[in-house]
Amino acid sequence: MQKPRWKTVGGTLLRVAAVWAVSTLTMLALAGILPDFRLTSGDGDSATQIAITAASGAGAFGVLSALVWPLLVRALLLMPALVLGLLVFVLNGSMLLIALSVNPDGRGAAEPETAVVVAAVMSAASSATSTFLTVRDDGAYRRRLARLAVRRRRRLGEDGGSDEPPGTMFLQLDGVGHAVLREALRERENRPPVMPTVAGWLRSTHQVTPWRTDWSSQTGASQLGILHGSNEDVPAFRWYEKKTGEVMVSNRPSSAALLQRRAAARARHDGLLTVDGASRGNLFTGGAEQLALVLSVAARRGKHNRSRSGYFAYFADPANATRTAGSFLAEVVREIFQSTRAKLRRETPRVKRGGLYPFIRAFATVVERDVVVTAVMGDILSGRTAIYADLVAYDEVAHHSGPRSRDALRVLARLDRSIALIAKVAERAPRDYRVVLLSDHGQSPGETFAGAYGLRLEDLVRAGCGLPVPRRAGRTPSGAEAREAGRAALHRPEKPEVDGDDPIVLASGNLGLISFPDVPGRMSREQIDARHPALLRTLADHPGVGFVLVRSEAHGAVVLGADGAEHRLDTGEVVGANPLTVFGPGAEDAVRRTAHFRNTPDVMVNSAYDPATGTVHAFEEQIGSHGGLGGEQGHPFLLWPAGLTPPVAAGEELVGAERVHHVLRRWLEEADGPQVPEEEEEATAAPAEAEAPAGPRPAKAPDAARTGRDSRWDGAPAAPITVVSRAVPDKTP
């Protein structure tokens, strides 16, 4: 039975009064504790006057928080997220000073730094009180859900009495490999699982399976394939495109936008979330209209950029802003403590974690998590049909602490609590929801290439080219990765700093890419040998290198290994020991597919892999890495409700991000969920082929049927070269 309107209004007024009272008491308590905060005039006041001053200040602060704060946040949305987070305390303190100034006779004053503390404590107290009262009033909660459901049905023109099909949430746990997940779901030494919520699902309602990534085992390729159905021509997280003369970086907004357009043209639809979908914390939109923290639209300005609305929806509540800012600072301190402890204990392998990294970690593990989780809960309450959200916290920490480190496992435990919170909200949603958990890749541990061998990949390339090698050929300077991540987060463009005709050496985890920008089109093995006879053998014979991919004019795609070993992928001929055998089943197909991309660089280098330990050597400063072949990085997971059809038939392996896209799309269709409109399916593909560089076009490669297009080799005369090192960070929101 619905409560009368007067009772609803009365309950709301009582909650407002309770929050006001708690804020007043909090202000009185702080005035008695903090020496630079007073609620009296210079001549002193009675207890009644002090109470009135506190109530007046608390009321004014509450009104400003409700009316002025949302306007301030909206005005600051174009600022970088890190800067916005640091301004939270200053803005909150400024509003408190304004609130105190409305008191008569000079009653109420605080030093600016004290006002920041008082405002933060008052916001936290009022938020806790409001949340407690709202949760206790189950009727108010149900009424809010009912209003949201009615609004949504009206917007869609649906009959208010119709039953909606279940919605689907896809929650991506970035970088969590299948093996790491299974370990986190098991009890250890009579202790509960690291992720008890997910463990409970697996025992009762869900099933889990690993899937295998493409050669490029990283978020750019995987999420593009999952959300948009095509990751063709994405050879790595970053690569050099000769046609434009630019370095493409998956987590740069301009690059992400271009990759999304290309994928949509090839797949002939806008993505998995085209109809009534929401994309939260992702690199790409998936075709969704509801966006928050989506990188491919982050460079847009004005009303057409709806990605930053996620910030507004969250930070519009000053209590949320204060709580997240406090947690942000706590996470910075936690990282400094943990990195110092690792250094004092002489833990190995270990990388330097200074510079901006503590702040980048705090953004990923606190700000991104809080904004994305809150946005997903809003989507649930609004009854959206398809939601895809990426939680990047584990991946960021595991890069620097290790995939199975105590630091990374604690992040998994916090992510499990976030999942539990989302599931709790879903129980009160206006429709049923199915939760699908998945990851985009795993991580493989191991000492860095520089740490193991005393030189970087670019130093090895210089040596192979007969160029001088720096005396101190050691690790990347401290904080270099963090500084580059900061530049990416601030949307600063990245251009290769090419000196004359130097080659460009890039790294994506344990995958290296070498391009010769002075030569149009892709160089052949024969051309490279003519210019630098020692280069390819220097790379292939190095103990830290697993194999090298080049194009041969005589044999097509060729994988080079140590001691003169070769695997000619296009003909299947193997000379000596097959360099790909150690990398397991599917390695040959994955490398062959990438070998025929238009954007494949002149030389690709995959680090060595030890199957006994599961370790690789990242060409970046990471002790947990992904991006190439070798170990757990190529084996993420897919966990789904048992009511859905299995991803693949029994005994079959789920391979490739594009195939995962079709599985998720099938699951949406099984619940009458959002489907790609028929007119998009039948539309003529955009001229993606026109983006290919000009040059000779040979016969189709053996895998042409799988890639859906012809391979293209471009040749050009040789010219002298030198080497340029490029250091670009992995994913940072």
Side-chain angles (χ1 to χ4, degrees):
M1 180 177 178
Q2 187 175 3
K3 289 185 179 181
R5 182 175 178 81
W6 65 270
K7 287 188 177 182
T8 301
V9 175
T12 301
L13 292 177
L14 286 175
R15 285 195 297 276
V16 171
V19 172
W20 190 359
V22 169
S23 297
T24 300
L25 293 174
T26 302
M27 184 174 282
L28 288 170
L30 293 174
I33 297 173
L34 301 175
D36 295 329
F37 177 44
R38 62 179 177 83
L39 296 174
T40 61
S41 63
D43 300 330
D45 288 317
S46 65
T48 301
Q49 289 174 316
I50 295 174
I52 292 174
T53 301
S56 175
F61 182 70
V63 171
L64 289 172
S65 297
L67 300 180
V68 178
W69 180 266
L71 299 178
L72 288 174
V73 173
R74 187 176 292 278
L76 295 172
L77 282 180
L78 294 182
M79 300 185 67
L82 292 176
V83 178
L84 178 59
L86 295 176
L87 282 177
V88 164
F89 289 113
V90 176
L91 295 174
N92 225 10
S94 300
M95 287 198 301
L96 179 69
L97 291 175
I98 296 174
L100 292 175
S101 68
V102 303
N103 284 289
D105 303 327
R107 294 182 175 89
E111 294 297 323
E113 60 272 18
T114 305
V116 170
V117 176
V118 174
V121 175
M122 289 183 62
S123 294
S126 62
S127 176
T129 303
S130 178
T131 301
F132 174 78
L133 293 175
T134 301
V135 171
R136 297 279 294 179
D137 187 355
D138 192 58
Y141 191 73
R142 289 197 303 269
R143 287 191 296 274
R144 180 169 182 250
L145 293 178
R147 287 196 300 271
L148 288 169
V150 169
R151 291 174 187 171
R152 181 177 180 279
R153 284 194 291 266
R154 288 175 178 172
R155 185 177 70 251
L156 298 177
E158 298 174 351
D159 181 5
S162 62
D163 293 329
E164 292 187 284
T168 307
M169 280 184 285
F170 303 106
L171 302 181
Q172 178 179 302
L173 303 185
D174 206 298
V176 180
H178 178 258
V180 168
L181 177 75
R182 295 307 298 250
E183 293 174 13
L185 303 184
R186 288 198 296 262
E187 295 183 2
R188 299 176 300 169
E189 300 176 355
N190 297 322
R191 289 183 298 174
V194 174
M195 305 182 74
T197 302
V198 181
W201 289 358
L202 193 58
R203 288 192 300 266
S204 57
T205 60
H206 284 64
Q207 301 179 42
V208 67
T209 185
W211 64 278
R212 182 150 47 85
T213 68
D214 305 287
W215 184 8
S216 183
S217 55
Q218 46 84 22
T219 302
S222 292
Q223 198 177 85
L224 188 66
I226 293 171
L227 287 178
H228 290 278
S230 173
N231 60 4
E232 187 177 350
D233 285 345
V234 181
F237 189 79
R238 54 184 70 85
W239 67 92
Y240 175 72
E241 291 199 349
K242 291 188 176 183
K243 182 179 180 181
T244 61
E246 294 185 355
V247 172
M248 294 287 290
V249 186
S250 297
N251 70 345
R252 196 191 332 154
S254 58
S255 297
L258 179 57
L259 292 178
Q260 181 173 306
R261 290 196 297 270
R262 290 176 177 176
R266 292 189 175 98
R268 305 187 185 186
H269 60 76
D270 287 336
L272 183 72
L273 311 173
T274 301
V275 182
D276 195 27
S279 180
R280 311 300 189 184
N282 300 310
L283 293 180
F284 311 103
T285 68
E289 292 187 358
Q290 298 298 322
L291 308 171
L293 301 184
V294 176
L295 203 69
S296 63
V297 297
R300 298 179 187 174
R301 293 293 181 264
K303 63 180 181 179
H304 298 294
N305 180 10
R306 306 183 65 182
S307 181
R308 290 182 182 267
S309 63
Y311 282 118
F312 175 77
Y314 184 79
F315 288 111
D317 183 346
N320 285 345
T322 302
R323 181 172 60 253
T324 296
S327 298
F328 179 93
L329 295 178
E331 188 69 14
V332 170
V333 173
R334 181 182 292 113
E335 162 55 26
I336 294 174
F337 169 77
Q338 290 174 348
S339 61
T340 302
R341 180 184 61 193
K343 185 175 182 179
L344 293 176
R345 292 180 176 179
R346 301 183 182 276
E347 295 178 0
T348 56
R350 187 179 71 251
V351 294
K352 295 180 180 179
R353 291 151 61 173
L356 292 177
Y357 172 68
F359 299 95
I360 294 170
R361 166 177 165 167
F363 178 88
T365 58
V366 175
V367 179
E368 195 269 355
R369 178 202 63 198
D370 288 353
V371 173
V372 168
V373 169
T374 301
V376 169
M377 292 191 295
D379 294 329
I380 294 170
L381 295 178
S382 299
R384 302 203 191 286
T385 311
I387 307 162
Y388 195 105
D390 186 11
L391 298 170
V392 304
Y394 169 85
D395 188 63
E396 184 62 50
V397 174
H399 275 314
H400 298 81
S401 300
R404 287 177 170 80
S405 65
R406 178 168 53 180
D407 302 350
L409 293 181
R410 287 180 176 175
V411 172
L412 279 182
R414 293 201 293 269
L415 289 178
D416 186 81
R417 290 195 289 270
S418 296
I419 293 170
L421 177 61
I422 291 172
K424 192 68 176 178
V425 172
E427 293 176 0
R428 303 297 187 94
R431 69 191 305 169
D432 292 333
Y433 273 96
R434 305 169 304 179
V435 182
V436 175
L437 295 183
L438 74 160
S439 57
D440 49 347
H441 55 79
Q443 285 205 18
S444 297
E447 189 173 10
T448 66
F449 185 84
Y453 300 103
L455 79 168
R456 300 168 297 175
L457 177 62
E458 45 265 45
D459 299 324
L460 187 63
V461 171
R462 291 185 66 87
C465 291
L467 301 173
V469 177
R471 292 181 180 179
R472 301 184 64 181
R475 300 182 178 183
T476 304
S478 174
E481 180 184 2
R483 288 193 296 271
E484 294 295 342
R487 294 188 185 104
L490 294 172
H491 316 320
R492 294 179 183 174
E494 173 138 10
K495 286 278 188 176
E497 299 174 0
V498 179
D499 181 13
D501 46 9
D502 294 352
I504 297 171
V505 182
L506 300 171
S508 292
N510 73 319
L511 182 64
L513 302 94
I514 305 167
S515 296
F516 299 87
D518 61 303
V519 179
R522 188 176 176 190
M523 286 189 71
S524 68
R525 175 186 184 179
E526 290 79 4
Q527 289 175 310
I528 296 172
D529 284 341
R531 296 174 59 171
H532 297 289
L535 175 60
L536 295 180
R537 288 265 53 96
T538 298
L539 293 172
D541 288 335
H542 192 277
V545 172
F547 65 88
V548 176
L549 172 68
V550 293
R551 177 186 71 88
S552 168
E553 296 172 2
H555 306 292
V558 177
V559 169
L560 306 178
D563 301 322
E566 294 186 12
H567 185 171
R568 298 165 183 172
L569 297 173
D570 292 344
T571 64
E573 183 181 1
V574 177
V575 178
N578 189 341
L580 296 177
T581 300
V582 69
F583 292 92
E588 180 180 340
D589 290 338
V591 175
R592 182 186 296 111
R593 178 174 183 255
T594 303
H596 295 288
F597 284 171
R598 296 185 185 88
N599 294 320
T600 300
D602 298 324
V603 182
M604 293 186 71
V605 181
N606 201 100
S607 86
Y609 165 60
D610 185 350
T613 61
T615 56
V616 299
H617 298 299
F619 298 121
E620 303 178 85
E621 282 291 280
Q622 299 172 350
I623 58 175
S625 66
H626 57 88
L629 287 176
E632 297 177 7
Q633 62 181 313
H635 299 280
F637 73 90
L638 179 61
L639 185 145
W640 73 97
L644 297 173
T645 59
V648 292
E652 187 179 353
E653 186 179 14
L654 182 59
V655 180
E658 294 180 359
R659 195 168 181 192
V660 174
H661 167 85
H662 290 289
V663 170
L664 302 189
R665 195 163 153 189
R666 165 162 44 92
W667 286 345
L668 290 176
E669 294 171 355
E670 288 177 4
D672 296 325
Q675 302 172 31
V676 177
E678 292 297 328
E679 62 269 23
E680 293 190 14
E681 287 282 10
E682 298 172 359
T684 302
E689 297 288 337
E691 297 179 5
R697 181 176 183 176
K700 292 184 179 180
D703 67 336
R706 179 182 176 188
T707 61
R709 61 163 180 82
D710 294 350
S711 61
R712 301 189 179 185
W713 301 114
D714 299 320
I721 59 163
T722 51
V723 178
V724 165
S725 168
R726 296 300 304 161
V728 186
D730 208 335
K731 293 178 307 304
T732 299

